[in-house]
Amino acid sequence: MTDHKPECPIGGCEPPATIGGTRREFLGAATAAMATALTGCGTLSKEEFLQHNFRELSKQEVLDVIARLEKEYQAKYGREVKVANTPAIPGVIFGYALDLSRCIGCRRCVHACVKENNQSRDPEIQWIRVLQMDKEEGVNVQHADAYYNPEEVPQEGHFYMPVQCQQCKKPPCTKVCPVGATWRDKDGIVVVDYNWCIGCRYCMAACPYGARHFNWGEPHLPADEVNPKTHYLGNRPRPKGVVEKCTFCIQRTRNGQYPACVEICPTGSRKFGNLLDKDSEIRYILENKRVFKFKEDLNTQPNFFYFYGV
Amino acid sequence: MRLPTLSTLAAGLLILLGPAVFADPPAAKPLSGTKVEGPAAPEGLQVPSPPFSEGIFPCTSCHDGKSMKPNLKRRELTDMHTDIALHHGPASRWCLDCHDANNRDSLHLASGEKVPFTASYQLCGQCHGDKLRDWRVGVHGKRTGSWNGPKQYLLCVNCHNPHTPRFQALKPMPAPTPPEQIQTRKGGAR
């Protein structure tokens, strides 16, 4: 991955000890000026410009990056935002199941997700898309409507299929990323390093589920709506020009909590657990219910399953 | 140059300890945001209190067996509980099939065995055995808490009104903005 490292004299060649301080200062200022010129805005700090891919950082560098981010969020939102770096729990691969026979399409999950994960509110970015489908057609995306808005749901003759990131075992999105800014972590969660993302949107083109979303404008997140419990690879406030997606609420699930969409679902359609734990509800569903994977023929091998509870 | 090295080591140690700290807490940490009220149901399940109407429980405050004798006759209620519409097999069922006539603060099974309101799922399970089985393993109904630790179950009656069991329709929350309605903000954000 060092191929992607920008050519940079700092650290590459040590300046003579006698004039080290001056030369270093000069180069630092020069790099900052270059960063400003390259990005077209003066907000990118030298440290941010020189930051490597999250997976290449040393432990101390990670702490430094997190400290810097927390300071930036404090300045931007005027409140304390914690950025965690919780690693994957050994022996855990997350799986998700959604009961199509129970979902009534009320979109409680969509808005709980927006709130939990600090998405832009204007225009609102939603990571979960609830598709209304005709019962006569079955699961057929050509007959799907995501913009339904009746007085009450469920509507006669329809069923509802929420679609979000399927956390594939063979994710096409990570394969096409030219800079390695997105990858599948050890617990099966596909994550994005927003600081390394160059916003080329190849991943969005590659994802067959439409699960990735791009910040075309500066994300509008009111300070009083910020969720201060964040994770570096999850719900921390994103900058403009990066791709974001569902991470199974990495900031919650790596601490043992259920994702926000599971907690809010009024019908209990959403199930979550450890695929490696044979006593988990997710394993019970896989072994005892009628289960299908969305677009299984594409061989993306999702860890997100749809099932019929009745 | 010894001090920086030591502090780096300490920071590294902290990160190394990180996984151990985070791998454990779900079991030890008390649940936040969950409401555990009322007595726990049998089997050690954590259930919330049943959704009684305001000021109606305990039932024995009226049905104490003295001032009001139990009337076992099947009839249409006109004085009290007129708001209850029985859409749960109304042709073959009536109040005292589930509510115990001698102790109104409890329910009873078909066998006559009394069950508390917090264990009403046993009563539901007499007919809906497959749903009870799914509920116990966490497939039917809602569970909150920790995916790898203590969980809280909702009772059948927290989602289904036992007198009108069909899940009530809800108003959907707002739809996503259709692409054609997304406005470019002043200053040309894109």
Side-chain angles (χ1 to χ4, degrees):
Chain A
M1 305 309 293
T2 45
D3 301 354
H4 306 303
K5 201 162 83 176
E7 283 286 315
C8 161
I10 291 181
C13 53
E14 276 298 313
T18 45
I19 55 159
T22 346
R23 183 178 156 85
R24 198 170 279 263
E25 272 167 31
F26 168 74
L27 285 173
T31 321
M34 187 170 70
T36 312
L38 281 175
T39 54
C41 61
T43 53
L44 198 62
S45 67
K46 180 185 69 178
E47 291 79 14
E48 190 177 354
F49 181 72
L50 294 176
Q51 184 186 321
H52 287 184
N53 189 320
F54 188 68
R55 284 189 292 179
E56 297 169 4
L57 299 181
S58 71
K59 283 156 190 170
Q60 184 56 48
E61 284 170 330
V62 168
L63 293 181
D64 291 347
V65 165
I66 283 176
R68 194 193 77 225
L69 286 171
E70 286 179 348
K71 211 172 120 200
E72 283 176 17
Y73 295 142
Q74 169 78 43
K76 186 168 180 187
Y77 300 106
R79 53 188 295 196
E80 202 180 335
V81 175
K82 282 277 160 220
V83 181
N85 172 35
T86 321
I89 306 170
V92 172
I93 293 198
F94 287 124
Y96 204 115
L98 201 149
D99 190 345
L100 286 183
S101 56
R102 306 239 175 273
C103 177
I104 57 167
C106 67
R107 293 205 192 94
R108 300 286 187 277
C109 51
V110 177
H111 293 270
C113 171
V114 170
K115 215 170 144 190
E116 168 69 30
N117 289 297
N118 289 327
Q119 275 102 316
S120 168
R121 304 298 207 273
D122 179 29
E124 188 169 86
I125 291 183
Q126 299 179 351
W127 290 352
I128 305 174
R129 183 144 294 208
V130 186
L131 303 178
Q132 178 176 264
M133 296 195 183
D134 290 344
K135 274 189 178 167
E136 283 181 10
E137 290 291 334
V139 176
N140 183 345
V141 279
Q142 288 191 314
H143 287 81
D145 173 17
Y147 303 104
Y148 64 91
N149 198 20
E151 269 305 299
E152 283 188 333
V153 284
Q155 275 194 293
E156 193 70 30
H158 293 91
F159 72 98
Y160 299 86
M161 180 165 161
V163 179
Q164 59 204 77
C165 175
Q166 310 273 309
Q167 316 289 356
C168 309
K169 289 190 246 345
K170 288 189 168 184
C173 53
T174 63
K175 204 174 167 182
V176 297
C177 179
V179 293
T182 178
W183 63 92
R184 186 172 182 264
D185 234 3
K186 286 193 178 105
D187 50 7
I189 302 179
V190 177
V191 293
V192 183
D193 179 356
Y194 310 117
N195 277 69
W196 198 248
C197 172
I198 57 170
C200 69
R201 292 171 277 131
Y202 282 19
C203 56
M204 289 173 69
C207 175
Y209 304 102
R212 286 175 168 259
H213 306 269
F214 186 65
N215 287 282
W216 285 98
E218 185 64 36
H220 180 70
L221 175 62
D224 56 339
E225 292 180 32
V226 173
N227 173 10
K229 287 183 189 165
T230 72
H231 190 285
Y232 181 90
L233 298 169
N235 60 338
R236 68 185 170 97
R238 272 81 61 188
K240 175 180 167 180
V242 299
V243 170
E244 59 183 48
K245 62 183 279 298
C246 157
T247 59
F248 278 171
C249 280
I250 194 165
Q251 68 282 359
R252 296 172 61 93
T253 49
R254 283 193 177 171
N255 291 330
Q257 289 173 287
Y258 281 115
C261 50
V262 174
E263 287 237 320
I264 197 89
C265 179
T267 61
S269 306
R270 290 169 168 271
K271 303 294 169 190
F272 181 83
N274 179 7
L275 289 170
L276 302 181
D277 174 7
K278 62 178 171 44
D279 298 322
S280 63
E281 57 235 49
I282 185 91
R283 279 287 289 274
Y284 184 91
I285 290 164
L286 294 184
E287 284 157 25
N288 295 284
K289 295 291 174 185
R290 288 185 295 143
V291 174
F292 83 90
K293 291 177 239 172
F294 190 28
K295 304 191 181 183
E296 189 181 9
D297 46 334
L298 299 176
N299 199 30
T300 54
Q301 303 182 14
N303 273 349
F304 194 104
F305 305 92
Y306 294 92
F307 74 104
Y308 297 97
V310 286
Chain B
M1 290 308 283
R2 204 162 272 182
L3 267 177
T5 324
L6 273 177
S7 63
T8 318
L9 270 178
L13 195 66
L14 264 179
I15 295 194
L16 277 177
L17 284 174
V21 175
F22 284 114
D24 200 29
K29 208 169 56 179
L31 294 177
S32 57
T34 51
K35 42 187 191 312
V36 186
E37 298 157 7
E43 308 172 47
L45 298 176
Q46 278 195 317
V47 295
S49 67
F52 294 120
S53 312
E54 191 89 354
I56 207 157
F57 197 81
C59 308
T60 41
S61 56
C62 295
H63 297 276
D64 55 2
K66 291 170 199 148
S67 56
M68 202 194 302
K69 291 281 173 216
N71 181 354
L72 303 179
K73 192 167 167 279
R74 188 190 164 100
R75 65 197 186 282
E76 195 174 324
L77 302 180
T78 50
D79 297 338
M80 285 298 285
H81 304 309
T82 48
D83 53 328
I84 295 174
L86 192 64
H87 294 297
H88 193 178
S92 57
R93 190 164 292 116
W94 104 286
C95 314
L96 297 180
D97 290 340
C98 300
H99 294 272
D100 196 82
N102 300 316
N103 179 6
R104 287 301 172 91
D105 287 343
S106 82
L107 303 161
H108 69 250
L109 304 179
S111 65
E113 187 193 334
K114 289 190 176 63
V115 290
F117 277 93
T118 48
S120 54
Y121 58 87
Q122 292 179 2
L123 186 59
C124 309
Q126 292 180 124
C127 297
H128 309 284
D130 56 337
K131 297 290 177 292
L132 178 64
R133 190 187 59 211
D134 277 355
W135 179 78
R136 279 187 207 278
V137 294
V139 175
H140 182 104
K142 183 165 167 166
R143 271 178 167 189
T144 50
S146 319
W147 57 266
N148 58 354
K151 293 173 178 53
Q152 193 183 13
Y153 292 62
L154 283 187
L155 288 167
C156 313
V157 290
N158 288 117
C159 299
H160 304 276
N161 181 336
H163 306 122
T164 314
R166 192 180 173 80
F167 196 89
Q168 297 300 301
L170 291 173
K171 179 158 179 52
M173 288 186 77
T177 315
E180 62 272 15
Q181 285 179 21
I182 296 178
Q183 301 286 320
T184 314
R185 245 173 282 126
K186 257 186 193 167
R190 43 177 97 167

